[in-house]
Amino acid sequence: MGELPRDDRYQEDLTVGFGGDEGYSIEVEAGSLGTWIFRYRCGDQPVRDGGAISFWNDQTNVPCAYLPQTDDPGGWDYVTVETDGDAELELVHLARTYKDNRFCEVRVVRGELRHADEVVLRVGAGQPTAAPAYSIERINYYAAVDHAGDGTWTYLPYCVTASIVPSPPAKLGVTAPSVVGLDESFALHVRAEDENSNPGAAFVGDLRVSLDGVELASASVAEDDAGIVEVEGLHFDRLGVHRLTVTSGDGSLSGTSNPTRCQVEPGERVYWGDMHCHADYADATGTAEWNHDYARNKARLDFYSLTDHIYSTPGWATGAFNRPPVLDVRKMWEELQRTARDWHEPGRFVTFLGYERTPWDRRRAAGDLTVWFMDDDADLVIEDTIAGTIEAVRATNGRVFIGSHAAQRSDWQRYGPGVEDVMPTIEISAMHQHAEWYVFEGLQRGYKFASVGMADEHAGHPGYDVWPRFGQGQTPRRPFAVRSALTAVFAPELTREGVRDAFFGRRTYATTGDRILLDVEVNGEPAGSEVSSDGSVDLRVAVHGTAAIERVDIIRGDRLVHTELPGSLDASLAWSDPAPLAGETWYYVRVTQANGGFAWSTPTWVTTADGATDAGDLPLWCDVIWPPAPADRGPDARAALEHAARVFGEDPARFAACVQIGRFEDYRGSYVLFRGRDGRDGAPLHVHLYDGFPAPRLYISRGWADFGWGPNGGSREELPWPEPTGEWA
C-alpha cells in the first residue's frame, strides 16, 4: 500500500508509538521496555454504532504482545482503548496467538466516532511490554475500518512502520573461514553486536586483529559500514588450528573467531549454511531481500535457501494466515526464483530455490518437507500429498531434492523404502528444539540420512538467530527457543553441486549455531560411510570448539557407549569398541560445549560379522543429566523464577518441584538453571532463566539434558526417564 500525504487534517489518520517516540515511522531498540500506542483519528466519514476499527501488522511472530489481556491492569500486556469523543468503545478481539496478525479490534457500542475524534489503543498499559529482542527491518501496521457496521472493511491507504534496531554495541562477533590453505589470503568477518547479539550495532572506530597476542592487522569501521566490516588480506604462515581475537581500539569491545584449520593444500573445506528459512510471504518476518542480505552479510553464511510455506497445490493461495492480501502461489514462486537467482554467487554465497511443503492434512501426512531445486527457473514441483511430492521429485533425476523436517512427529511409513535417493538429510536441530530423538526414530526404522542443522528460521535472522521466540516448552506467552542451527558440509568447492553432493554423500554434521570443527572416522572411513568390520570398530574423533568442550559422547545404536570430558577448547580421542554388535548398527558423536552449544556427526553404519548380540546394561543414548551442579549454586533465584513465570503467563506452581542447579554462561548471556519435574505432567524439565535483561527471558525444555528429548517436547510415556540422584544432580 503506497503512502498518501498526511497534512490534510480532515482525512483518517494513524500513528504508532513506543517508549515515548510516536509518528508515522519510528525506531525501537531491541529488547527495550515500553508501551505500544496506536492512535487512529476519524476522518469525514463517521464510524457509526456497530462499526469497528481493526488493527493489523504484516509481520507474523512480532506481535505487540504475546498474550494481550484486559483483566489485570498491573499485569503484563494489559490493553486499553479510549477516545476523546463521545462514542463508547469496546475491545471485541485480542489476538490469542502470535500468528494472529489482526491483533486487535475495537467496536463502537454506543454513539459514533466523528471527524477528528481520536481512538488511542495502548498495549502494555500496565507493566511496560518488551520489544522483540531481535532486529527487524520494519513492521508495517495497518488499520481497517467498518464505518457502517455492515461488515464492509476499508483499509487506510497507507501503513505506519516500526523498525526494531540494535541497542548500543556490547561485543564483537567474529567469523573466520573454517579451512584455509597455508599462506592463502582470506577475509575475517567482524560485526558489532548489541547485548541481544544483534549484528549491526552502531559502532564506529578502529579494530585490531591478533593471533596469540601478536597483532596481524587493523581496520576501521565507518558510519556507513553499519557496524560490520570484512578485514581482508589475512593469512596464516603456520599449520594447525587457529583462533583470531579482535578488539576495538579503546579495548571496550572484543570477540574471538571460530576455529580455523590451516592445511597445506585443502582437498575439501568446511562450509556453513541454513537451507530451511522463511520470510513474510507466509508466517515469518522480513522480506526476501532482507533475509538474503542478513544470511550473506550479517550471518556470513556460505549457502542458504529461502523455503517459504506452500500449503496447497499450484494455483491456490499460499495461506498467509489472516494477513491481507493473500498471495497467490504463482506470484510467490516468481519472487523466490528471482531472489535465488539474484543472490547466487558461486564461491561466495550459494543460494537454492526452495519451499517448504506444508499439507493441510499434516496430522495424517509424514510431516513437513523442505524441497530444493538446482535451477533458479525451475517450475514448481508439488503434489497434494507428501508421498506424491516425493514421487514427483524422484522423476526430476536429481534436479530437485528434499530434506526432512523435525518440528513435529513424522509418520515414517509414508516416506516409503529407499527415500534417501531423493531425501538425503534429516534435521537434528532447529530453532524449535534440539531433536536428536527425531534422528533416532529414523535410524531405528533403517533410514540412512545425513544429519543437518536447519533453523526453520521465522524471525528474519537466517544463520544467526540468537533469541527466537519459538520455544517448545509451551507457556501462555510463547517462551524463547534454542539458538538457530547450522549445517556444516565437507566439499571441494562452494557451489550448488558441491553442497548437493555433500548431502547425498552424507558428508555433513550439525551444530546449534557454533562453528565447531568436528572430524570423525570409523575404521579409517569418514562419518556417513557404510563400513564392514572383521570384528573391530575403531573411532577417531577430533573436535575444535568455540568454547570449552565439556563432553564428547559416542552413541552406538540406542546406547551411550563412551564419554570423555575434555574441558578444553580442543580435544581428540581414539576409542575402540570392546564389544561390537553383530550385524549392522550405527555410531555417531555428540559434542557438548560449556556455552550450551552442540554438534552431532552424521552416523556411520558398521556391519560386523561376528559380534555381541546384546547391548548389555549400557545406558540409553538419552540417559544423560547435564550439566552437573557447581559447588556454589549461587544466590537463591526462586523469586525471580516465579516472577518470570507470571510474565510468561504461567502458573509458578509448574516449576515448584524444580531445584536451582547453578548459574551458567552461554553466548546469549548469564542464566540460572533449574531442573526438576514439570508440575503439569511430572515429566523431566529444565529451565534457563536469563535475568540480565530489562524483562526476564525463559527457555524451557523437556529432559535432564539439553540435546533434545522426545517428540514435541516429550512425555512420560514416550521414553523411559532416568532418575537423577541427589538434588536433581
Side-chain angles (χ1 to χ4, degrees):
M1 296 182 183
E3 291 192 8
L4 294 181
R6 300 175 193 156
D7 54 355
D8 186 345
R9 61 185 299 268
Y10 298 100
Q11 298 302 312
E12 288 179 301
D13 197 29
L14 179 68
T15 59
V16 60
F18 185 87
D21 186 13
E22 187 172 345
Y24 298 116
S25 179
I26 63 172
E27 289 188 345
V28 178
E29 279 195 3
S32 60
L33 296 181
T35 299
W36 289 100
I37 297 176
F38 298 90
R39 194 181 304 272
Y40 166 81
R41 187 179 65 188
C42 189
D44 284 339
Q45 185 176 2
V47 184
R48 303 189 185 282
D49 192 341
I53 307 159
S54 188
F55 297 89
W56 299 73
N57 79 61
D58 70 345
Q59 300 288 307
T60 305
N61 309 313
V62 287
C64 300
Y66 276 82
L67 192 68
Q69 51 91 16
T70 57
D71 298 326
D72 181 7
W76 209 259
D77 297 338
Y78 182 62
V79 180
T80 63
V81 64
E82 60 190 37
T83 179
D84 60 357
D86 297 329
E88 183 178 336
L89 306 178
E90 181 182 33
L91 285 164
V92 295
H93 171 82
L94 288 176
R96 306 307 293 175
T97 168
Y98 65 100
K99 288 188 177 182
D100 188 347
N101 301 79
R102 184 175 66 98
F103 62 86
C104 183
E105 184 177 317
V106 178
R107 188 167 298 280
V108 178
V109 294
R110 184 175 293 107
E112 66 178 20
L113 293 171
R114 303 182 181 90
H115 166 249
D117 284 352
E118 283 192 343
V119 174
V120 180
L121 177 72
R122 289 183 172 85
V123 183
Q127 293 282 344
T129 194
Y134 45 86
S135 58
I136 301 169
E137 180 182 19
R138 67 179 188 178
I139 311 168
N140 296 325
Y141 294 100
Y142 301 89
V145 185
D146 177 3
H147 291 90
D150 60 1
T152 302
W153 293 91
T154 303
Y155 281 86
L156 269 66
Y158 60 84
C159 62
V160 295
T161 65
S163 297
I164 310 300
V165 299
S167 57
K171 55 187 173 181
L172 298 177
V174 186
T175 301
S178 288
V179 177
V180 299
L182 187 65
D183 287 321
E184 174 184 288
S185 179
F186 67 88
L188 190 68
H189 181 80
V190 184
R191 54 189 179 268
E193 300 180 1
D194 68 4
E195 65 175 354
N196 300 295
S197 304
N198 286 303
F203 170 78
V204 175
D206 297 327
L207 300 173
R208 295 191 299 270
V209 181
S210 60
L211 175 64
D212 300 331
V214 177
E215 186 170 329
L216 301 183
S218 62
S220 294
V221 183
E223 187 172 350
D224 291 344
D225 294 324
I228 299 174
V229 70
E230 297 270 335
V231 183
E232 299 181 335
L234 294 166
H235 70 277
F236 293 127
D237 59 7
R238 65 180 188 270
L239 304 177
V241 174
H242 309 297
R243 297 172 180 84
L244 294 167
T245 299
V246 181
T247 56
S248 60
D250 62 3
S252 62
L253 304 177
S254 65
T256 301
S257 75
N258 54 283
T260 299
R261 182 167 55 236
C262 179
Q263 302 173 216
V264 176
E265 293 182 358
E268 62 180 10
R269 299 172 190 257
V270 176
Y271 298 111
W272 296 90
D274 188 353
M275 296 277 283
H276 183 185
C277 301
H278 299 280
D280 62 3
Y281 293 125
D283 66 339
T285 300
T287 63
E289 292 293 327
W290 162 275
N291 277 270
H292 279 84
D293 178 74
Y294 191 96
R296 184 190 192 278
N297 298 322
K298 293 183 173 66
R300 192 55 174 89
L301 292 182
D302 298 312
F303 59 93
Y304 169 69
S305 182
L306 175 56
T307 53
D308 228 332
H309 291 284
I310 293 179
Y311 296 93
S312 51
T313 51
W316 288 36
T318 186
F321 291 85
N322 51 17
R323 185 186 72 243
V326 174
L327 184 66
D328 186 275
V329 164
R330 290 162 295 192
K331 178 63 175 176
M332 170 180 162
W333 191 244
E334 291 173 3
E335 287 296 295
L336 291 174
Q337 289 173 320
R338 181 189 64 79
T339 50
R341 178 174 56 250
D342 290 353
W343 285 88
H344 182 52
E345 184 182 350
R348 171 59 183 88
F349 184 60
V350 168
T351 62
F352 287 82
L353 173 65
Y355 69 91
E356 181 176 356
R357 178 71 179 111
T358 307
W360 287 121
D361 62 342
R362 177 192 309 214
R363 294 186 182 277
R364 298 189 301 277
D368 295 346
L369 299 175
T370 39
V371 185
W372 304 301
F373 296 72
M374 293 296 290
D375 304 312
D376 296 324
D377 58 354
D379 291 332
L380 188 61
V381 176
I382 189 171
E383 296 292 337
D384 282 335
T385 65
I386 292 292
T389 300
I390 289 171
E391 289 308 308
V393 168
R394 187 170 277 128
T396 66
N397 297 319
R399 304 309 298 172
V400 184
F401 56 107
I402 304 172
S404 185
H405 175 15
Q408 70 279 320
R409 180 186 288 280
S410 285
D411 180 355
W412 292 92
Q413 293 180 350
R414 290 183 180 260
Y415 287 148
V419 73
E420 299 96 321
D421 68 333
V422 294
M423 188 167 71
T425 70
I426 185 170
E427 289 179 7
I428 197 168
S429 184
M431 70 162 181
H432 302 282
Q433 59 179 320
H434 307 145
E436 195 169 340
W437 62 268
Y438 181 63
V439 175
F440 180 73
E441 281 191 347
L443 290 169
Q444 280 188 314
R445 286 159 175 78
Y447 293 105
K448 295 178 179 177
F449 295 124
S451 294
V452 297
M454 297 185 182
D456 194 8
E457 173 60 29
H458 281 68
H461 283 206
Y464 192 64
D465 191 353
V466 177
W467 289 108
R469 195 120 185 215
F470 266 76
Q472 291 289 310
Q474 297 307 331
T475 58
R477 292 186 182 90
R478 196 164 178 112
F480 288 91
V482 297
R483 285 180 57 188
S484 59
L486 287 179
T487 296
V489 302
F490 296 94
E493 59 183 3
L494 182 56
T495 61
R496 284 179 182 162
E497 291 74 15
V499 174
R500 178 198 61 190
D501 291 349
F503 285 169
F504 279 97
R506 298 194 292 262
R507 296 290 288 131
T508 69
Y509 61 93
T511 80
T512 52
D514 298 88
R515 299 194 183 201
I516 300 165
L517 281 175
L518 174 60
D519 292 282
V520 177
E521 289 186 355
V522 182
N523 286 3
E525 298 296 327
S529 302
E530 296 179 61
V531 177
S532 295
S533 168
D534 59 3
S536 62
V537 180
D538 303 311
L539 278 76
R540 299 183 65 87
V541 181
V543 189
H544 305 283
T546 60
I549 300 159
E550 295 287 290
R551 294 178 63 101
V552 179
D553 294 319
I554 298 175
I555 290 93
R556 182 196 67 199
D558 65 347
R559 302 291 166 156
L560 176 60
V561 293
H562 184 72
T563 297
E564 294 203 10
L565 309 175
S568 56
L569 278 173
D570 305 284
S572 60
L573 66 95
W575 178 78
S576 297
D577 192 340
L581 295 177
E584 186 180 70
T585 191
W586 62 84
Y587 293 78
Y588 68 90
V589 173
R590 177 204 303 141
V591 176
T592 305
Q593 295 194 148
N595 70 344
F598 290 87
W600 294 270
S601 74
T602 287
T604 300
W605 288 265
V606 179
T607 300
T608 304
D610 297 315
T613 59
D614 193 309
D617 60 355
L618 291 168
L620 291 170
W621 64 274
C622 50
D623 193 356
V624 176
I625 300 167
W626 195 264
D632 180 6
R633 300 192 182 212
D636 184 9
R638 170 63 57 181
L641 176 62
E642 292 176 353
H643 168 67
R646 294 187 182 96
V647 168
F648 282 80
E650 187 62 84
D651 183 349
R654 180 183 180 187
F655 309 124
C658 292
V659 171
Q660 182 170 326
I661 302 302
R663 182 171 289 275
F664 299 87
E665 296 286 337
D666 69 16
Y667 193 81
R668 301 201 280 193
S670 174
Y671 68 92
V672 181
L673 172 65
F674 292 84
R675 194 156 55 212
R677 295 281 181 184
D678 192 325
R680 300 189 306 189
D681 60 10
L685 190 73
H686 58 277
V687 181
H688 295 190
L689 167 62
Y690 294 86
D691 53 0
F693 296 95
R697 299 176 185 177
L698 283 181
Y699 164 59
I700 304 165
S701 187
R702 300 286 193 156
W704 307 124
D706 209 16
F707 51 79
W709 194 343
N712 296 321
S715 69
R716 298 194 71 174
E717 291 73 31
E718 285 163 349
L719 290 171
W721 303 111
E723 195 67 32
T725 59
E727 269 205 316
W728 307 107

